[in-house]
Amino acid sequence: MTTGAAAHRVDRFDLIVLGAGPAGASAALTAAQSGLRVALVDKARFPRDKLCGGGLTGRAITLYSRIYGAPLPPVPLERRDSFAFHAFGQDLGESKDAPPLHLCMRFELDASLVRSALDRGAVDFTGCKGTLDPDGPAVDLSDRRLEAPLLIAADGVNSPTARTLFGRSYDKSRIGFALEVERPGAEPDRPLRIDFGAADWGYGWQFPKASGTTIGVGGVLARNSDMKAALQRYMDVLDVPDTLTVKGQFLPFGDFRPTPGKGCILLAGDAAGLVDPITGEGIAHALDSGALAAKAVQQALTAGTPELALSIYKQSLRPIHRGLRHARLLRNLMFRPSLRPAFVRSFRNSRTLRSEYLRLMAGETEYGALMQKMIARLPGFAWRAMNGT
């Protein structure tokens, strides 16, 4: 969405939410539950396809339960508690009886989240293309203009809203990129597999789901001149046919915006760069940031100071931002060529490190604790890694 467009009738709301993925749906639901009149706008009708590994970590499940009031999303889920780890072509061993990961198809998950938001009172403007007026803020649709004192933009990594506000959606030198394929058919005995280094400064994944298996690679785009070749090498390792359709998507990969918005517009989810720079997982941060943005809006409107919503929201994101900073430092330990042998040796030989990584995915610990354990095992490299040299 870009600035411009004429409008007809005017509909006024307390909040407009642009984008109805996990961040936008959670924002709309949270705001509507607090009594706000919310417009939920998305150019797509749901269900719609979405590139994603579809892994719901323990952290994501905990947040879903807190926001949506149910233990699990009402969609087909494949539960796995065994993880096979590999790094740079080496087998790092398997962890069993780990905190479980639930795997789903995003077109089913996102449609469910949208239904929940609409059921709680958000007004449905999905399937509507609109034009953002950042000065309103307002959105002009083909037959009406939506106005509100505040707007939450959860319109993805390619966020037109961020481009309007800041001149670009992301930093090309730091953006990540992922490619994946879907192998059809249920594979109940297929292990969940993670390969660090399947792409440069990135990883590969094999995620079995109820109706198929997602195989993909992702990494920092500037370090991967030929991501298609990286995917093909990974598919060859897994004996995956090269006849499957390949899909691609940019990933913020931890390159978050310290100030997630401008004026009366707040950015959430991928639009705010809230994606884990090691695993590429973004659903948990999307759910969390959407709800936090909505709470900031509700608090600011209640106080009669909508212009303070952004500062309230920024403050609430501090734990997420701190975790992403720690993860970027840890990425230096894992992927820097001079440090790889020590990382591989430590991760392979230390059950504690693997356990801490799995606890991190479950939301039972944070990156700071994992980073400290890694640095303790690599004392000769710690200073260099921390300083990015």
Side-chain angles (χ1 to χ4, degrees):
M1 296 184 183
T2 54
T3 306
H8 305 287
R9 56 178 277 189
V10 176
D11 289 348
R12 292 183 173 84
F13 294 85
D14 299 311
L15 172 67
I16 299 169
V17 178
L18 279 181
S26 296
L29 178 140
T30 301
Q33 285 187 148
S34 72
L36 300 184
R37 177 168 161 77
V38 182
L40 181 58
V41 184
D42 197 297
K43 65 182 179 181
R45 278 286 185 189
F46 289 74
R48 55 92 173 94
D49 286 331
K50 171 68 176 179
L51 175 81
C52 182
L56 294 175
T57 62
R59 187 184 305 274
I61 292 296
T62 297
L63 288 164
Y64 175 85
S65 177
R66 183 185 308 162
I67 296 166
Y68 288 83
L72 291 169
V75 299
L77 295 170
E78 192 72 13
R79 184 183 186 276
R80 286 290 192 278
D81 60 6
S82 294
F83 296 76
F85 291 103
H86 296 73
F88 311 103
Q90 298 187 47
D91 187 346
L92 302 186
E94 186 172 345
S95 295
K96 298 182 178 180
D97 299 321
L101 189 73
H102 291 82
L103 300 123
C104 66
M105 300 302 294
R106 278 292 301 275
F107 75 89
E108 294 172 328
L109 173 68
D110 291 9
S112 172
L113 299 181
V114 169
R115 284 195 302 272
S116 294
L118 299 180
D119 288 346
R120 304 294 174 86
V123 181
D124 186 6
F125 291 100
T126 59
C128 297
K129 293 184 178 180
T131 302
L132 172 68
D133 175 3
D135 297 325
V139 174
D140 291 311
L141 306 179
S142 61
D143 63 343
R144 71 190 69 198
R145 178 178 175 89
L146 310 179
E147 296 183 345
L150 288 160
L151 182 147
I152 296 173
D155 47 355
V157 62
N158 295 307
S159 172
T161 304
R163 188 162 57 248
T164 296
L165 297 180
F166 302 108
R168 62 182 183 181
S169 301
Y170 50 77
D171 184 340
K172 291 183 178 180
S173 68
R174 304 176 70 175
I175 195 68
F177 189 72
L179 293 173
E180 70 175 22
V181 299
E182 293 283 348
R183 180 167 54 195
E187 299 179 274
D189 299 323
R190 176 74 60 179
L192 188 152
R193 175 169 170 159
I194 295 174
D195 289 70
F196 300 115
D200 199 11
W201 284 59
Y203 79 118
W205 62 91
Q206 179 178 244
F207 287 176
K209 303 174 184 178
S211 58
T213 299
T214 303
I215 298 105
V217 297
V220 177
L221 182 60
R223 295 177 176 270
N224 289 273
S225 60
D226 193 348
M227 193 70 80
K228 288 185 178 180
L231 176 64
Q232 187 58 58
R233 288 193 297 270
Y234 192 53
M235 291 171 63
D236 290 343
V237 168
L238 301 179
D239 195 25
V240 177
D242 59 8
T243 56
L244 301 176
T245 300
V246 177
K247 298 180 180 180
Q249 177 66 46
F250 290 107
L251 293 172
F253 244 32
D255 186 28
F256 64 87
R257 292 186 181 276
T259 299
K262 182 181 291 186
C264 290
I265 298 178
L266 286 59
L267 301 175
D270 285 14
L274 302 177
V275 171
D276 189 296
I278 293 177
T279 68
E281 198 260 345
I283 296 176
H285 291 327
L287 295 170
D288 201 6
S289 63
L292 290 173
K295 291 176 181 177
V297 166
Q298 192 274 334
Q299 185 177 340
L301 291 179
T302 298
T305 54
E307 66 276 7
L308 294 183
L310 179 57
S311 63
I312 296 170
Y313 176 49
K314 180 180 177 180
Q315 180 74 13
S316 71
L317 286 178
R318 288 181 66 181
I320 295 177
H321 287 172
R322 182 170 57 249
L324 292 176
R325 288 189 182 98
H326 286 158
R328 289 193 309 216
L329 291 172
L330 183 59
R331 187 167 63 181
N332 280 329
L333 288 171
M334 295 173 61
F335 296 130
R336 194 166 293 277
S338 61
L339 306 179
R340 287 176 186 171
F343 162 70
V344 170
R345 183 172 59 253
S346 297
F347 203 91
R348 181 177 55 220
N349 297 336
S350 173
R351 291 184 179 180
T352 300
L353 282 179
R354 289 201 302 272
S355 175
E356 283 296 302
Y357 181 83
L358 293 168
R359 290 184 63 232
L360 174 80
M361 295 179 68
E364 298 173 0
T365 188
E366 299 296 334
Y367 266 114
L370 181 61
M371 186 171 62
Q372 289 174 3
K373 290 183 182 296
M374 182 70 76
I375 290 174
R377 289 182 167 272
L378 306 174
F381 302 114
W383 188 91
R384 185 160 32 138
M386 293 286 286
N387 288 276
T389 59

